[in-house]
Amino acid sequence: MRGDTAMAGPIEIENLTIGYDRHPAIHHVSLMIGRGSLTAVVGPNGAGKSTLLKGLVGRLRPMEGRIRFRGVGDDGIAYLPQQADIDRQFPLSVIDFVAMGLWRRIGLFGAVTRADRARVADALAAVGLSGFERRGIATLSGGQVQRMLFARTLLQDAGLILLDEPLTAIDTKTAADLLDLIRRWHGEQRTVVTVLHDLDQVRGHFPETVLLAREVIAHGATADVLTARNLLRARQMCEAFDDRAEVCDRSSDRPAA
Amino acid sequence: MIWDLVIDPFVAFGFMRRALVGCLAIALGGTPVGVFLVLRRMSLTGDAIAHAILPGAAVGYLVAGLSVGAMTVGGLVAGLTVGLLAGFVTRATVLREDASLAGFYLTSLALGVLLVSMRGGSVDLMHVLLGNVLALDDQAMVLLAGIATVTLVALAVAYRPLVVDSVDPEYLRTVSRTGARVHYLLLTLAVINLVAGFHALGTLMAVGIMIVPATAARFWHRDLAGILVMAVAIAVAASLTGLLLSFHFGLPSGPAIILCAGGAFVLSLAVGPHGSLLARRVHRRHLRA
Amino acid sequence: MLDDMMPAPPPRAGMGKSARHGTWGALEGGALEGGALEGGMQRCGPAPSSPVGPHPAAGAATLYLRATASLREPSRFPRLGGGRKVCRATRRFLVGVPTKPMARGAALIAVLIAVIAAGPRAAAETDPVEVVATFSLIGDMAAAIGGERVSVATIVGPNGDPHVYQPTPDDARRLAAADLVLANGLGLEGWIARLIAAARSDAPVVTVSDGIAPLTFHRTRAHAAIARYRRCQTGNRLDVACARGPLDYEDTIGTDPHAWHDLANARIYVANIAAALTEADPAGAETYAASLAGYQRRLAALEDTIRTVIRRLPDARRVVITTHDAFGYFERAYGLRFEALQSAIADAEPSAADLAYLIRRIRRMRVPAIFVETTTDRRLIERVARETGTRIGGELYSDALSPPDGPAPTFLDMIGHNIRTIEAALNAGR
C-alpha cells in the first residue's frame, strides 16, 4: 500500500520563488502538500498555478527556495501540462500514443505483454475512447486529445499526479467521469494536485485547496479557503509585471491563512 | 526484352552492380534517418551539413594535402560539431532547429571559405571531396555498408525514445533522460550518413536519397512503420530506375536517380492515398457511420 | 530546460462560462466591499519608495548639457545678421593664425607632389613588365619568352583545374596591377570575363590562341562514336572502314580549348606572346625575338621526338585512354588515338552509358594501359581500369603544370613527360 515507506512525508515547498527575467511568477510560496492528498490549486489568471506545477515537476528552476519530496513521487511523477506541445501531424495511432504511459514499466526495450495491452485498453475505456485505437492522432478533436492524454496519465501509474487544467475542453458528462477517475486515484493513495478554474468542481470533489495569486493566499480545507474574503484578496492581485518594482528583500514569512 | 533492358546491364558491368549495391546501402541507412528528419521538420539539415563540412575538409587539406581520407575525416568532425552544437542550442535556448542550424552552418561555411582562400585555393576542395555513384571503389563500398549497418542498429535500439521525442518531447523529459541523447543520436546518424554519402556519391545524391523518398512516402501511409518501409522502397526503385536511365540514355547517374525520386514525390503528392491534392479534392462515398 | 518561462496564459476561448456561479467572473457584481488590503499583498502601480536610481539616459543628458554649456553661451558666437560683429570675429580669426607654419607646410606638400610625380617615370625604366597569365602553361611560356624583363604571376597554379576555378580578391588585385594579361581563350576560362570587369584593369588582354585552327567536340565521345557506329551499320554487317573513319562533329556543343597539345599551335601561342610583350615593352623587342627563336627550335625538336615515338608504336597500340577529352588537338596532329570518359569541358558528369561504352571499347581493343590526369578526379577512371583489368600506365598532365619539384614544371617538360609516359606504358609487355 502506498504511503508505507519509512520516508513517507508530505511534499515540503519552502519559500519557493520561480520567475522570469527577475520578475517572479510565484514568490515566497511555502506549502506542505500531504502525501496521498487530493489538492486543487486555484487562482486568477496569471497567478502562477502552472508555474507552481512546473516547479514541482522540475521543468523550471527556482530563483529561491526549494522543494523536498520526502519519498512522494518515488514511483514516478505524472504531469499533464495545460497546452501539450504535441506534434499532431506525426503519424502515430492513438493506441501507440497512450502506450507511452507504460514507459516507466517497460522502458527502452521491454516487451509489451498481453497484460499491458489490456491495461491500455482499460485506460482508453476509462476516458471514453474505446474504438479509437487505430485512429491517427491528427484526426482527434481537442477534447479527444485531452482525454487521450488523460488515458496516458492513467497508464503511468504514478505516485504523484500533477494535472494542469485537465477539464477545460471537455463536456460535462466526460468531466464528471474524469473527476471520478481523479477520485479513484485519491482512493489509491496517490497524491494528486490539480489546477482548476471551476470553483464548483473544486467545492464538489476536492477536499483541499491552495488559493494562489502569485503567493499563497490560503491553503487548507476547501471550505475554509474559498471564502469571499480570500477570493477578493486573490482578485486584487496585480497581473502584469511591474518594471519599476523595487528589489525584493523580504525573508520567508508565511502569509496569513 | 526485359532481360536486355533491366537485368543485362547489371550482369555485364561490375560498376553497375556496385552502384546498385551502394545505392541500396544508403537507402537502407540514410532514408530511414531522412524520414525522421522530415517528420521532425529538419528536412533542410542535409543541405546545411553539406556546407558545414567545408572547414573540416579545409583543415584536412591543410594538414595532409589532397588526401581524400583526411578530408573526409575532417569533414565528419566539422559536420558533427555543427550538428551537435545546433542540437544543443535548440534544446537549451529559445532558438528552434532551423535557426540554430542556420546560425552554425553559415559560420562554419564562412570559416571554411576563409581557410581555403588562405592557402591560395586554386584547388576546388569540394570537387575533390565529392564522389560519384559510378566510381565506388572497395573502400567506399565498405564505408557505405558499415554506416548502413550502424544506422540500422542504432535506429532499432533508439526507436521508442526517438518516436516519443518526436511526438511529445515534454513527456519524454518527465519520464526519462534519453530525450536529449536521442536527438543528438539522430543528428549524428544524419551527419555520418551525409558525409559518407558525399564521399561516395556526391552531395546531390546523398541528400536527395535521404530526403526525397521520405517526402514521397508520407502520402502513402498513415503509420510510421509504413512510411519507413515505403520510403526505402521508393529509394531503391529510384536508384534502379535512375541507373538504368543513365545506362540506356546517357544521362548523368546521380541526377537521374534523384530525378526519379523527385518524380515519385510529384506523383505521390498529386495522387497518393493520404493527404495528397487528389485525396483532398475527390471524396469517396462516405460510410454510414 | 528553462524554456517556457512564461506565466500562465490567458483563459481559453472555451472559458466563456463566466455566467456560471462558481467561476471568477461571478465576483464582478458581488456585494463585497473593497476593504483595506491585509499585509503581505503587493500593490499594483508605482511603488511608494524612490526608484532604484536615475535613468541612465538622464545622467548622460545632464553631462552633455553641462559640458556644452559654455558653447551655448551667447558671447562666444558671432550673431548672424549682425554685420559689424561678424566682420570683427572673422578678422580676429585671420589675424590670429600664424603664417609661418602654413608656408612651411605648403612647401612640404609641393615637394612631395613633385617627388611622387617624378617617381613612376624613373621607375618605369627599370621595372619588369607585370604579366598576369590565367594558368600555369601560359605563365611558363611567358616566363620563357620574357626572361628577366617580365614578372609573371599566374592565377591558376600548378595542378589546378582552369575549367572550374573560383577567383579570389587577390587575383583581382593582381589583375589591376598588371601591364599585360594573357588568356588562353576558346572558352577555357569561363570565369575570366567577370574577373577582368571586377578588377577594372586597363591592361590589354591578349588571347594567345589567336590564329590556330580550332577543333570542336561532341557532348561526349561516346555519343559521337555510337552515332558513327549506327551510321556504319547495315542490318547485321558493320562497315569496318566507315567505322574507322573520323567522328562526325555535326552535334557540336563547343570548341575544344586544349589547343596547346598540338605543338604547331604552341608555336603560334609563343609567337603571340612575344608580339604582345613587344608591344607592351618595345625596348625589349630584340630579347623577345631571340627567346622566341630559341623556343621555336626546342618545340620543333620535341615534335620530332613525338612523331618518332608514335611511328614506333604498333598499330594496335596507338590508343590512349584518359579521363577527359583534353588531347583532341594532339590526336589530330600526330595520329595517336585518344578515348576519354568525360568530354573536353571536364565538368559534366559522365553517365553510366559513357562508362559502359568505354569499358566495352577497352575490352575489345585490349589496350595495355589507362592513364589518369592530375587535375581531374581519378576514381572514375580507376574504376574503369579495375573493371577491365587494365593497369594504370601513369599520370598525364593535360591542363596544368606540376609544382617545381614535379616531373612537369615547364611546358616543354610537360610535353616531354607525357610522351615518355605514353611510350613506356604502351610499349610495355610487348
Side-chain angles (χ1 to χ4, degrees), chain C residues 27-48:
Chain C
L27 289 174
E28 288 291 318
L32 301 155
E33 299 91 352
L37 294 175
E38 304 277 331
M41 201 50 221
Q42 252 185 333
R43 269 174 211 276
C44 286

Side-chain angles (χ1 to χ4, degrees), chain C residues 308-326:
Chain C
T308 316
V309 166
I310 292 177
R311 218 187 0 256
R312 283 210 297 257
L313 287 173
D315 228 11
R317 288 173 173 247
R318 281 212 194 139
V319 60
V320 172
I321 314 286
T322 63
T323 314
H324 88 293
D325 228 347

Side-chain angles (χ1 to χ4, degrees), chain C residues 20 27 50 65 74 90 107 146 150 172 214 216-217 227 229 233 298 306 335 347 365 369:
Chain C
R20 285 205 26 205
L27 289 174
S50 59
L65 286 171
T90 328
V150 300
T216 54
F217 63 92
Y229 187 76
Q233 192 176 36
R298 299 219 292 278
I306 292 174
D347 204 24
M365 292 190 293

Side-chain angles (χ1 to χ4, degrees), chain C residues 332-363:
Chain C
R332 186 174 67 171
Y334 306 115
L336 184 62
R337 208 156 24 127
F338 282 80
E339 300 262 0
L341 196 50
Q342 288 164 285
S343 77
I345 38 178
D347 204 24
E349 203 181 307
S351 66
D354 298 331
L355 263 148
Y357 165 77
L358 193 63
I359 289 172
R360 282 202 201 99
R361 291 278 289 158
I362 292 173
R363 281 183 184 151

Side-chain angles (χ1 to χ4, degrees), chain A residues 19 198-199 215 235-236 238, chain C residues 5 20 22 28 37 40 44 49:
Chain A
D198 189 337
L199 297 182
E215 35 175 35
R235 280 288 285 147
Q236 283 165 335
C238 179
Chain C
M5 289 279 279
R20 285 205 26 205
E28 288 291 318
L37 294 175
C44 286
S49 50

Side-chain angles (χ1 to χ4, degrees), chain C residues 67-136:
Chain C
T68 54
S70 55
L71 294 173
R72 283 181 278 110
E73 277 168 65
S75 53
R76 294 291 175 108
F77 289 87
R79 242 179 288 136
L80 291 171
R84 234 179 289 145
K85 284 222 168 87
V86 172
C87 290
R88 212 184 303 148
T90 328
R91 225 181 298 136
R92 203 182 299 141
F93 171 77
L94 284 174
V95 164
V97 170
T99 49
K100 260 204 187 155
M102 257 189 74
R104 248 187 274 145
L108 188 61
I109 291 169
V111 167
L112 277 169
I113 291 174
V115 166
I116 290 168
R121 251 182 284 120
E125 300 295 322
T126 52
D127 261 356
V129 180
E130 296 287 337
V131 177
V132 172
T134 49
F135 71 120
S136 46

Side-chain angles (χ1 to χ4, degrees), chain B residues 12-16 18 68 121-122 127-132 134-138 170 173 199 243 246-247 250-255, chain C residues 1 3 155-161 164-166 168 219 223 347 349-353 355-356 359-360 363 377 379-380 383 386-387:
Chain B
F13 291 99
F15 75 86
M16 289 291 280
R18 280 164 175 262
V68 181
S122 62
H127 245 87
V128 178
L129 192 59
L130 301 178
N132 190 308
L134 300 174
L136 293 174
D137 56 7
D138 290 334
E170 294 305 324
R173 247 184 265 196
H199 173 77
L243 281 174
S246 177
F247 187 86
L251 305 173
S253 42
Chain C
M1 321 281 179
D3 44 16
I155 297 182
V156 183
N159 284 342
D161 188 345
V164 292
Y165 179 68
Q166 300 266 21
T168 65
R219 187 163 20 104
H223 284 86
D347 204 24
E349 203 181 307
S351 66
L355 263 148
I359 289 172
R360 282 202 201 99
R363 281 183 184 151
D377 180 23
R379 280 184 278 189
L380 267 171
R383 180 100 299 275
R386 202 74 54 82
E387 186 141 342

